[in-house]
Amino acid sequence: MTKEKIDRINALARKSKTPEGLTPEEKAEQKALREEYIADFRRSTLAALGRIDIRNEDGSIEPLIKQ
């Protein structure tokens, strides 16, 4: 996700708290940007967790996330 998109998410969040609120088009844009942000967050978190190995008490090593 680019910095511009994150800035746009924040701008829409600030505008939604004002008395004028968001237009229906802006609400749809906000929803789409949030979904994209969450999907990107999940991808990067799963990738990070996929690089972690656990050492068991018996000395064996297994991945945290089993493929």
Side-chain angles (χ1 to χ4, degrees):
M1 170 138 302
T2 64
K3 181 175 179 350
E4 290 80 19
K5 287 184 177 182
I6 293 172
D7 290 343
R8 182 64 180 156
I9 290 170
N10 292 329
L12 290 170
R14 282 190 298 276
K15 185 177 178 191
S16 71
K17 295 175 185 176
T18 64
E20 67 188 48
L22 297 175
T23 65
E25 294 82 17
E26 289 171 328
K27 285 181 184 180
E29 178 186 8
Q30 183 184 44
K31 183 177 187 236
L33 286 170
R34 283 180 174 172
E35 288 172 358
E36 182 181 344
Y37 178 83
I38 290 169
D40 189 48
F41 178 83
R42 285 181 179 148
R43 261 190 310 277
S44 64
T45 301
L46 286 174
L49 291 174
R51 294 187 298 270
I52 297 174
D53 292 332
I54 302 296
R55 182 181 303 259
N56 297 316
E57 290 179 6
D58 65 0
S60 64
I61 297 174
E62 63 182 82
L64 180 65
I65 298 177
K66 297 178 179 154
Q67 303 286 331

